[in-house]
C-alpha cells in the first residue's frame, strides 16, 4: 500500500469513526426521548433537547471532512460511493436527533405520560424502531448490504404499526 493509499484509508477510517459516534449519540437521544415520553421525566427531556447541539456539531464536522476528503483525494469508485453513503447517513442521523428533540418537546407539553393501550402501542412501535435503527447502524458499520436490505423490510411493518397508533 502506498503512502497516499494509507492516508486515504486513515482519513476514511476517521470519518467512519465519527459516523459511529454520531450514530451512538442519535440512538441515545431517541432512547432518552422515549424514556421522557413514557415516564414524563422533564429533566431527561430538557437534557435531550440540549444534547442536540453536539449532534449537530458532529454532523457538520463529518460533512466538512467528507468534502475535504473529496477535494484532497479525488476518490473514485468504491471510496466515492462510500462517501456518498456517509453524506446521506450523516444527514439522516442528524434528523433522527431532531426527531428525538421533537418527541421531548411534546413530552414536556403533556400533563401526564401516555397510559393504557396507547402507552403499550408506543412502546411496541418504539421497540421496533430502535431495533431497526440499531440494525441499520450495524449494517452500515459492517458495510453489509444484505443486512441493510433486510432492515428496509422492517420499515413497512413499523409504518403499519404507526398507522395503528
Amino acid at each position: 500500500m502506498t503512502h497516499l493509499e494509507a492516508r486515504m484509508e486513515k482519513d476514511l477510517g476517521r470519518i467512519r469513526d465519527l459516523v459511529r459516534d454520531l450514530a451512538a449519540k442519535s440512538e441515545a437521544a431517541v432512547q432518552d426521548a422515549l424514556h421522557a415520553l413514557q415516564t414524563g421525566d422533564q429533566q431527561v427531556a430538557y437534557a435531550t433537547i440540549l444534547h442536540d447541539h453536539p449532534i449537530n456539531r458532529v454532523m457538520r464536522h463529518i460533512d466538512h471532512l467528507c468534502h475535504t476528503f473529496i477535494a484532497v483525494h479525488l476518490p473514485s469508485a468504491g471510496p466515492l460511493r462510500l462517501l456518498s453513503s456517509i453524506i446521506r447517513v450523516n444527514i439522516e442521523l442528524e434528523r433522527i436527533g431532531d426527531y428525538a428533540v421533537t418527541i421531548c418537546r411534546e413530552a414536556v407539553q403533556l400533563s401526564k405520560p401516555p397510559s393504557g393501550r396507547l402507552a403499550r402501542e408506543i412502546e411496541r412501535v418504539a421497540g421496533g424502531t430502535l431495533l431497526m435503527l440499531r440494525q441499520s447502524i450495524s449494517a452500515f458499520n459492517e458495510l453489509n448490504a444484505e443486512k441493510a436490505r433486510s432492515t428496509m423490510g422492517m420499515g413497512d411493518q413499523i409504518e403499519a404499526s404507526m398507522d395503528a397508533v
Side-chain angles (χ1 to χ4, degrees):
M1 180 179 291
T2 69
H3 171 71
L4 294 176
E5 291 170 332
R7 173 73 191 269
M8 182 188 271
E9 286 301 316
K10 179 182 174 204
D11 290 349
L12 268 177
R14 181 174 178 221
I15 292 170
R16 291 186 66 201
D17 288 345
L18 285 169
V19 171
R20 282 185 196 95
D21 179 52
L22 180 60
K25 286 179 182 345
S26 296
E27 182 181 342
V30 170
Q31 289 174 329
D32 290 345
L34 291 169
H35 172 76
L37 177 65
Q38 292 169 327
T39 64
D41 189 334
Q42 291 194 354
Q43 284 185 318
V44 170
Y46 288 126
T48 303
I49 291 168
L50 291 174
H51 286 112
D52 186 52
H53 295 293
I55 289 173
N56 295 339
R57 275 194 302 276
V58 172
M59 185 275 290
R60 285 191 301 273
H61 185 59
I62 291 169
D63 190 61
H64 172 75
L65 289 176
C66 286
H67 288 93
T68 300
F69 185 94
I70 291 168
V72 169
H73 297 289
L74 299 171
S76 62
L80 188 58
R81 284 191 297 275
L82 178 60
L83 278 175
S84 176
S85 296
I86 287 171
I87 290 169
R88 288 187 206 130
V89 166
N90 189 36
I91 292 167
E92 294 303 323
L93 288 172
E94 190 274 335
R95 188 174 294 156
I96 288 169
D98 291 344
Y99 289 146
V101 168
T102 301
I103 292 168
C104 287
R105 287 187 175 140
E106 293 299 320
V108 169
Q109 298 288 325
L110 295 175
S111 59
K112 62 180 182 158
S115 61
R117 182 172 181 262
L118 179 60
R120 288 189 301 276
E121 288 298 316
I122 290 172
E123 190 168 330
R124 187 173 61 80
V125 169
T129 303
L130 281 169
L131 175 63
M132 195 167 127
L133 176 59
R134 286 184 192 115
Q135 281 189 269
S136 298
I137 292 166
S138 174
F140 180 79
N141 288 336
E142 298 167 13
L143 300 177
N144 185 331
E146 189 55 41
K147 187 183 268 189
R149 275 190 280 282
S150 70
T151 303
M152 287 171 55
M154 294 172 63
D156 295 333
Q157 296 169 345
I158 299 293
E159 195 170 329
S161 295
M162 289 286 290
D163 291 342
V165 172

